[in-house]
Amino acid sequence: MDNRLKEMNDYILMIEKKSSDLIKKYQKTNQDLNSAIQKIGELTNKLEKSESSIKDAKKNIDSLINKIKNGRF
């Protein structure tokens, strides 16, 4: 009976170890995904700002061209 209990204990310890390894792997993957999501968000914000800056620059150029055409420069 003691031998059977030892086998069960060893099996449980092995399962705990594998479970712990899987949890660590999942946590690492989750951290990597969160990091990637954060970087994507930052790049999206930069892109939106860049697009906004381009639109503002175009408006300013158009305004300047109109002022020059109308002699109000």
Side-chain angles (χ1 to χ4, degrees):
M1 186 68 164
D2 287 338
N3 198 24
R4 180 71 179 141
L5 288 175
K6 183 181 178 331
E7 288 175 5
M8 290 175 64
N9 186 51
D10 291 344
Y11 179 75
I12 290 170
L13 291 175
M14 182 184 66
I15 296 297
E16 286 177 344
K17 172 75 171 113
K18 288 186 177 186
S19 297
S20 177
D21 290 347
L22 285 173
I23 289 169
K24 287 178 185 175
K25 183 178 178 181
Y26 169 77
Q27 286 174 336
K28 174 69 174 143
T29 301
N30 195 36
Q31 289 171 349
D32 291 344
L33 288 173
N34 286 337
S35 177
I37 289 168
Q38 182 179 359
K39 287 180 183 177
I40 289 170
E42 290 170 1
L43 290 172
T44 300
N45 286 338
K46 285 182 182 178
L47 178 61
E48 288 172 355
K49 288 178 183 175
S50 183
E51 286 178 1
S52 176
S53 297
I54 291 169
K55 288 178 184 177
D56 287 343
K58 186 178 180 323
K59 285 180 188 176
N60 290 337
I61 292 169
D62 289 343
S63 175
L64 182 59
I65 290 171
N66 285 333
K67 285 181 181 179
I68 291 170
K69 284 180 181 177
N70 295 329
R72 291 184 287 162
F73 179 65

